[in-house]
PDB file of all heavy atoms in Angstrom:
ATOM      1  N   VAL A   1       1.560   5.622  19.405  1.00 96.00           N
ATOM      2  CA  VAL A   1       0.469   5.572  18.420  1.00 96.00           C
ATOM      3  C   VAL A   1       0.469   4.189  17.782  1.00 96.00           C
ATOM      4  O   VAL A   1       1.510   3.697  17.327  1.00 96.00           O
ATOM      5  CB  VAL A   1       0.658   6.662  17.334  1.00 96.00           C
ATOM      6  CG1 VAL A   1      -0.489   6.597  16.332  1.00 96.00           C
ATOM      7  CG2 VAL A   1       0.738   8.034  17.969  1.00 96.00           C
ATOM      8  N   LYS A   2      -0.715   3.575  17.739  1.00 96.00           N
ATOM      9  CA  LYS A   2      -0.853   2.262  17.119  1.00 96.00           C
ATOM     10  C   LYS A   2      -1.760   2.357  15.905  1.00 96.00           C
ATOM     11  O   LYS A   2      -2.901   2.832  16.016  1.00 96.00           O
ATOM     12  CB  LYS A   2      -1.412   1.233  18.116  1.00 96.00           C
ATOM     13  CG  LYS A   2      -0.506   1.007  19.339  1.00 96.00           C
ATOM     14  CD  LYS A   2      -1.162   0.026  20.309  1.00 96.00           C
ATOM     15  CE  LYS A   2      -0.276  -0.194  21.547  1.00 96.00           C
ATOM     16  NZ  LYS A   2      -0.911  -1.140  22.494  1.00 96.00           N
ATOM     17  N   ASP A   3      -1.251   1.919  14.772  1.00 97.00           N
ATOM     18  CA  ASP A   3      -2.041   1.984  13.528  1.00 97.00           C
ATOM     19  C   ASP A   3      -1.991   0.648  12.808  1.00 97.00           C
ATOM     20  O   ASP A   3      -1.027  -0.128  12.938  1.00 97.00           O
ATOM     21  CB  ASP A   3      -1.460   3.061  12.588  1.00 97.00           C
ATOM     22  CG  ASP A   3      -1.745   4.459  13.066  1.00 97.00           C
ATOM     23  OD1 ASP A   3      -2.939   4.786  13.263  1.00 97.00           O
ATOM     24  OD2 ASP A   3      -0.789   5.235  13.232  1.00 97.00           O
ATOM     25  N   VAL A   4      -3.020   0.396  12.010  1.00 98.00           N
ATOM     26  CA  VAL A   4      -3.070  -0.758  11.119  1.00 98.00           C
ATOM     27  C   VAL A   4      -3.250  -0.207   9.720  1.00 98.00           C
ATOM     28  O   VAL A   4      -4.300   0.339   9.399  1.00 98.00           O
ATOM     29  CB  VAL A   4      -4.216  -1.713  11.477  1.00 98.00           C
ATOM     30  CG1 VAL A   4      -4.259  -2.873  10.450  1.00 98.00           C
ATOM     31  CG2 VAL A   4      -4.020  -2.273  12.886  1.00 98.00           C
ATOM     32  N   TRP A   5      -2.200  -0.319   8.911  1.00 98.00           N
ATOM     33  CA  TRP A   5      -2.207   0.262   7.571  1.00 98.00           C
ATOM     34  C   TRP A   5      -2.052  -0.847   6.524  1.00 98.00           C
ATOM     35  O   TRP A   5      -1.284  -1.784   6.725  1.00 98.00           O
ATOM     36  CB  TRP A   5      -1.067   1.285   7.397  1.00 98.00           C
ATOM     37  CG  TRP A   5      -1.346   2.601   8.067  1.00 98.00           C
ATOM     38  CD1 TRP A   5      -2.294   2.877   9.010  1.00 98.00           C
ATOM     39  CD2 TRP A   5      -0.627   3.819   7.855  1.00 98.00           C
ATOM     40  NE1 TRP A   5      -2.223   4.191   9.379  1.00 98.00           N
ATOM     41  CE2 TRP A   5      -1.226   4.791   8.689  1.00 98.00           C
ATOM     42  CE3 TRP A   5       0.442   4.178   7.036  1.00 98.00           C
ATOM     43  CZ2 TRP A   5      -0.768   6.110   8.723  1.00 98.00           C
ATOM     44  CZ3 TRP A   5       0.889   5.478   7.077  1.00 98.00           C
ATOM     45  CH2 TRP A   5       0.291   6.454   7.901  1.00 98.00           C
ATOM     46  N   THR A   6      -2.756  -0.666   5.431  1.00 98.00           N
ATOM     47  CA  THR A   6      -2.648  -1.623   4.321  1.00 98.00           C
ATOM     48  C   THR A   6      -2.112  -0.927   3.104  1.00 98.00           C
ATOM     49  O   THR A   6      -2.622   0.109   2.674  1.00 98.00           O
ATOM     50  CB  THR A   6      -4.048  -2.230   3.993  1.00 98.00           C
ATOM     51  OG1 THR A   6      -4.541  -2.928   5.142  1.00 98.00           O
ATOM     52  CG2 THR A   6      -3.917  -3.237   2.838  1.00 98.00           C
ATOM     53  N   PHE A   7      -1.070  -1.541   2.541  1.00 98.00           N
ATOM     54  CA  PHE A   7      -0.464  -1.029   1.325  1.00 98.00           C
ATOM     55  C   PHE A   7      -0.782  -1.998   0.176  1.00 98.00           C
ATOM     56  O   PHE A   7      -0.907  -3.197   0.384  1.00 98.00           O
ATOM     57  CB  PHE A   7       1.059  -0.902   1.476  1.00 98.00           C
ATOM     58  CG  PHE A   7       1.491   0.149   2.435  1.00 98.00           C
ATOM     59  CD1 PHE A   7       1.596  -0.126   3.794  1.00 98.00           C
ATOM     60  CD2 PHE A   7       1.810   1.427   1.990  1.00 98.00           C
ATOM     61  CE1 PHE A   7       1.995   0.851   4.684  1.00 98.00           C
ATOM     62  CE2 PHE A   7       2.227   2.416   2.883  1.00 98.00           C
ATOM     63  CZ  PHE A   7       2.314   2.135   4.233  1.00 98.00           C
ATOM     64  N   ALA A   8      -0.869  -1.455  -1.020  1.00 98.00           N
ATOM     65  CA  ALA A   8      -1.217  -2.315  -2.186  1.00 98.00           C
ATOM     66  C   ALA A   8      -0.390  -1.874  -3.391  1.00 98.00           C
ATOM     67  O   ALA A   8       0.062  -0.728  -3.514  1.00 98.00           O
ATOM     68  CB  ALA A   8      -2.693  -2.215  -2.499  1.00 98.00           C
ATOM     69  N   ARG A   9      -0.238  -2.840  -4.309  1.00 97.00           N
ATOM     70  CA  ARG A   9       0.475  -2.584  -5.559  1.00 97.00           C
ATOM     71  C   ARG A   9      -0.031  -3.539  -6.625  1.00 97.00           C
ATOM     72  O   ARG A   9      -0.221  -4.724  -6.357  1.00 97.00           O
ATOM     73  CB  ARG A   9       1.990  -2.796  -5.387  1.00 97.00           C
ATOM     74  CG  ARG A   9       2.770  -2.679  -6.670  1.00 97.00           C
ATOM     75  CD  ARG A   9       4.273  -2.913  -6.482  1.00 97.00           C
ATOM     76  NE  ARG A   9       4.956  -2.893  -7.753  1.00 97.00           N
ATOM     77  CZ  ARG A   9       5.092  -3.933  -8.558  1.00 97.00           C
ATOM     78  NH1 ARG A   9       4.661  -5.119  -8.173  1.00 97.00           N
ATOM     79  NH2 ARG A   9       5.701  -3.815  -9.720  1.00 97.00           N
ATOM     80  N   ASP A  10      -0.249  -3.009  -7.847  1.00 97.00           N
ATOM     81  CA  ASP A  10      -0.622  -3.848  -8.967  1.00 97.00           C
ATOM     82  C   ASP A  10       0.631  -4.532  -9.494  1.00 97.00           C
ATOM     83  O   ASP A  10       1.540  -3.855  -9.982  1.00 97.00           O
ATOM     84  CB  ASP A  10      -1.275  -3.003 -10.080  1.00 97.00           C
ATOM     85  CG  ASP A  10      -1.899  -3.875 -11.186  1.00 97.00           C
ATOM     86  OD1 ASP A  10      -1.508  -5.062 -11.278  1.00 97.00           O
ATOM     87  OD2 ASP A  10      -2.703  -3.360 -11.973  1.00 97.00           O
ATOM     88  N   THR A  11       0.709  -5.850  -9.374  1.00 96.00           N
ATOM     89  CA  THR A  11       1.931  -6.569  -9.751  1.00 96.00           C
ATOM     90  C   THR A  11       2.169  -6.579 -11.261  1.00 96.00           C
ATOM     91  O   THR A  11       3.257  -6.925 -11.695  1.00 96.00           O
ATOM     92  CB  THR A  11       1.856  -8.022  -9.241  1.00 96.00           C
ATOM     93  OG1 THR A  11       0.678  -8.658  -9.808  1.00 96.00           O
ATOM     94  CG2 THR A  11       1.807  -8.070  -7.739  1.00 96.00           C
ATOM     95  N   ARG A  12       1.139  -6.182 -12.038  1.00 95.00           N
ATOM     96  CA  ARG A  12       1.340  -6.101 -13.493  1.00 95.00           C
ATOM     97  C   ARG A  12       1.933  -4.777 -13.921  1.00 95.00           C
ATOM     98  O   ARG A  12       2.353  -4.630 -15.051  1.00 95.00           O
ATOM     99  CB  ARG A  12       0.009  -6.330 -14.211  1.00 95.00           C
ATOM    100  CG  ARG A  12      -0.600  -7.703 -13.998  1.00 95.00           C
ATOM    101  CD  ARG A  12      -1.942  -7.824 -14.682  1.00 95.00           C
ATOM    102  NE  ARG A  12      -2.872  -6.751 -14.219  1.00 95.00           N
ATOM    103  CZ  ARG A  12      -4.128  -6.633 -14.618  1.00 95.00           C
ATOM    104  NH1 ARG A  12      -4.617  -7.487 -15.501  1.00 95.00           N
ATOM    105  NH2 ARG A  12      -4.894  -5.658 -14.146  1.00 95.00           N
ATOM    106  N   SER A  13       1.937  -3.810 -13.005  1.00 94.00           N
ATOM    107  CA  SER A  13       2.414  -2.466 -13.354  1.00 94.00           C
ATOM    108  C   SER A  13       3.928  -2.396 -13.276  1.00 94.00           C
ATOM    109  O   SER A  13       4.557  -3.071 -12.476  1.00 94.00           O
ATOM    110  CB  SER A  13       1.806  -1.458 -12.366  1.00 94.00           C
ATOM    111  OG  SER A  13       2.366  -0.185 -12.549  1.00 94.00           O
ATOM    112  N   ARG A  14       4.481  -1.548 -14.108  1.00 91.00           N
ATOM    113  CA  ARG A  14       5.931  -1.325 -14.084  1.00 91.00           C
ATOM    114  C   ARG A  14       6.333  -0.416 -12.907  1.00 91.00           C
ATOM    115  O   ARG A  14       7.492  -0.343 -12.563  1.00 91.00           O
ATOM    116  CB  ARG A  14       6.389  -0.694 -15.395  1.00 91.00           C
ATOM    117  CG  ARG A  14       6.256  -1.618 -16.606  1.00 91.00           C
ATOM    118  CD  ARG A  14       6.786  -0.951 -17.859  1.00 91.00           C
ATOM    119  NE  ARG A  14       6.696  -1.825 -19.006  1.00 91.00           N
ATOM    120  CZ  ARG A  14       7.106  -1.490 -20.240  1.00 91.00           C
ATOM    121  NH1 ARG A  14       7.628  -0.285 -20.437  1.00 91.00           N
ATOM    122  NH2 ARG A  14       6.999  -2.344 -21.225  1.00 91.00           N
ATOM    123  N   ASP A  15       5.345   0.251 -12.340  1.00 91.00           N
ATOM    124  CA  ASP A  15       5.601   1.119 -11.174  1.00 91.00           C
ATOM    125  C   ASP A  15       5.851   0.233  -9.958  1.00 91.00           C
ATOM    126  O   ASP A  15       4.980  -0.513  -9.533  1.00 91.00           O
ATOM    127  CB  ASP A  15       4.384   2.022 -10.958  1.00 91.00           C
ATOM    128  CG  ASP A  15       4.624   3.017  -9.803  1.00 91.00           C
ATOM    129  OD1 ASP A  15       5.695   2.948  -9.173  1.00 91.00           O
ATOM    130  OD2 ASP A  15       3.738   3.849  -9.570  1.00 91.00           O
ATOM    131  N   PRO A  16       7.042   0.323  -9.392  1.00 90.00           N
ATOM    132  CA  PRO A  16       7.382  -0.558  -8.261  1.00 90.00           C
ATOM    133  C   PRO A  16       6.841  -0.065  -6.920  1.00 90.00           C
ATOM    134  O   PRO A  16       6.961  -0.765  -5.897  1.00 90.00           O
ATOM    135  CB  PRO A  16       8.911  -0.550  -8.259  1.00 90.00           C
ATOM    136  CG  PRO A  16       9.247   0.832  -8.728  1.00 90.00           C
ATOM    137  CD  PRO A  16       8.181   1.154  -9.786  1.00 90.00           C
ATOM    138  N   ASN A  17       6.258   1.121  -6.893  1.00 92.00           N
ATOM    139  CA  ASN A  17       5.842   1.738  -5.639  1.00 92.00           C
ATOM    140  C   ASN A  17       4.516   1.163  -5.107  1.00 92.00           C
ATOM    141  O   ASN A  17       3.597   0.887  -5.866  1.00 92.00           O
ATOM    142  CB  ASN A  17       5.714   3.252  -5.799  1.00 92.00           C
ATOM    143  CG  ASN A  17       7.029   3.893  -6.126  1.00 92.00           C
ATOM    144  OD1 ASN A  17       8.051   3.558  -5.542  1.00 92.00           O
ATOM    145  ND2 ASN A  17       7.028   4.827  -7.075  1.00 92.00           N
ATOM    146  N   TRP A  18       4.470   1.046  -3.784  1.00 96.00           N
ATOM    147  CA  TRP A  18       3.266   0.618  -3.092  1.00 96.00           C
ATOM    148  C   TRP A  18       2.558   1.881  -2.586  1.00 96.00           C
ATOM    149  O   TRP A  18       3.189   2.881  -2.290  1.00 96.00           O
ATOM    150  CB  TRP A  18       3.594  -0.258  -1.907  1.00 96.00           C
ATOM    151  CG  TRP A  18       4.192  -1.577  -2.263  1.00 96.00           C
ATOM    152  CD1 TRP A  18       5.422  -1.824  -2.779  1.00 96.00           C
ATOM    153  CD2 TRP A  18       3.559  -2.873  -2.129  1.00 96.00           C
ATOM    154  NE1 TRP A  18       5.605  -3.165  -2.979  1.00 96.00           N
ATOM    155  CE2 TRP A  18       4.484  -3.843  -2.585  1.00 96.00           C
ATOM    156  CE3 TRP A  18       2.315  -3.294  -1.644  1.00 96.00           C
ATOM    157  CZ2 TRP A  18       4.199  -5.191  -2.581  1.00 96.00           C
ATOM    158  CZ3 TRP A  18       2.023  -4.660  -1.645  1.00 96.00           C
ATOM    159  CH2 TRP A  18       2.953  -5.574  -2.121  1.00 96.00           C
ATOM    160  N   LYS A  19       1.224   1.821  -2.468  1.00 97.00           N
ATOM    161  CA  LYS A  19       0.470   2.967  -1.976  1.00 97.00           C
ATOM    162  C   LYS A  19      -0.434   2.542  -0.810  1.00 97.00           C
ATOM    163  O   LYS A  19      -0.905   1.392  -0.772  1.00 97.00           O
ATOM    164  CB  LYS A  19      -0.373   3.581  -3.099  1.00 97.00           C
ATOM    165  CG  LYS A  19       0.483   4.282  -4.152  1.00 97.00           C
ATOM    166  CD  LYS A  19      -0.364   5.130  -5.112  1.00 97.00           C
ATOM    167  CE  LYS A  19       0.504   5.914  -6.067  1.00 97.00           C
ATOM    168  NZ  LYS A  19      -0.283   6.813  -6.947  1.00 97.00           N
ATOM    169  N   LEU A  20      -0.639   3.478   0.080  1.00 98.00           N
ATOM    170  CA  LEU A  20      -1.507   3.222   1.224  1.00 98.00           C
ATOM    171  C   LEU A  20      -2.957   3.194   0.736  1.00 98.00           C
ATOM    172  O   LEU A  20      -3.445   4.161   0.158  1.00 98.00           O
ATOM    173  CB  LEU A  20      -1.294   4.309   2.270  1.00 98.00           C
ATOM    174  CG  LEU A  20      -2.150   4.204   3.541  1.00 98.00           C
ATOM    175  CD1 LEU A  20      -1.778   2.956   4.331  1.00 98.00           C
ATOM    176  CD2 LEU A  20      -1.935   5.458   4.402  1.00 98.00           C
ATOM    177  N   VAL A  21      -3.674   2.082   1.035  1.00 98.00           N
ATOM    178  CA  VAL A  21      -5.055   1.965   0.538  1.00 98.00           C
ATOM    179  C   VAL A  21      -6.067   1.899   1.680  1.00 98.00           C
ATOM    180  O   VAL A  21      -7.281   2.009   1.419  1.00 98.00           O
ATOM    181  CB  VAL A  21      -5.205   0.715  -0.350  1.00 98.00           C
ATOM    182  CG1 VAL A  21      -4.341   0.862  -1.609  1.00 98.00           C
ATOM    183  CG2 VAL A  21      -4.864  -0.556   0.385  1.00 98.00           C
ATOM    184  N   ALA A  22      -5.598   1.701   2.911  1.00 97.00           N
ATOM    185  CA  ALA A  22      -6.553   1.643   4.033  1.00 97.00           C
ATOM    186  C   ALA A  22      -5.823   1.942   5.329  1.00 97.00           C
ATOM    187  O   ALA A  22      -4.645   1.576   5.522  1.00 97.00           O
ATOM    188  CB  ALA A  22      -7.219   0.297   4.104  1.00 97.00           C
ATOM    189  N   THR A  23      -6.526   2.646   6.256  1.00 95.00           N
ATOM    190  CA  THR A  23      -5.944   2.932   7.577  1.00 95.00           C
ATOM    191  C   THR A  23      -7.017   2.715   8.644  1.00 95.00           C
ATOM    192  O   THR A  23      -8.212   2.913   8.409  1.00 95.00           O
ATOM    193  CB  THR A  23      -5.475   4.399   7.647  1.00 95.00           C
ATOM    194  OG1 THR A  23      -6.605   5.267   7.556  1.00 95.00           O
ATOM    195  CG2 THR A  23      -4.497   4.737   6.550  1.00 95.00           C
ATOM    196  N   GLU A  24      -6.528   2.337   9.817  1.00 91.00           N
ATOM    197  CA  GLU A  24      -7.421   2.242  10.975  1.00 91.00           C
ATOM    198  C   GLU A  24      -6.584   2.269  12.221  1.00 91.00           C
ATOM    199  O   GLU A  24      -5.399   1.896  12.229  1.00 91.00           O
ATOM    200  CB  GLU A  24      -8.258   0.963  10.939  1.00 91.00           C
ATOM    201  CG  GLU A  24      -7.473  -0.320  10.962  1.00 91.00           C
ATOM    202  CD  GLU A  24      -8.370  -1.560  10.959  1.00 91.00           C
ATOM    203  OE1 GLU A  24      -9.007  -1.804  11.987  1.00 91.00           O
ATOM    204  OE2 GLU A  24      -8.385  -2.263   9.928  1.00 91.00           O
ATOM    205  N   ALA A  25      -7.160   2.789  13.281  1.00 81.00           N
ATOM    206  CA  ALA A  25      -6.464   2.871  14.538  1.00 81.00           C
ATOM    207  C   ALA A  25      -6.548   1.531  15.251  1.00 81.00           C
ATOM    208  O   ALA A  25      -7.559   0.835  15.154  1.00 81.00           O
ATOM    209  CB  ALA A  25      -7.054   3.952  15.424  1.00 81.00           C
TER     210      ALA A  25
END
């Protein structure tokens, strides 16, 4: 399976976690 996924994070936030914001095959 080949995927292209984009993760994002607000660098001003104290939350260190990244979230998936876009997917495509």
Side-chain angles (χ1 to χ4, degrees):
V1 181
K2 298 178 181 179
D3 288 304
V4 177
W5 284 16
T6 300
F7 292 86
R9 174 182 176 272
D10 189 342
T11 58
R12 296 177 304 182
S13 173
R14 293 183 179 180
D15 184 356
N17 296 317
W18 293 70
K19 291 191 175 184
L20 180 65
V21 297
T23 65
E24 61 179 290

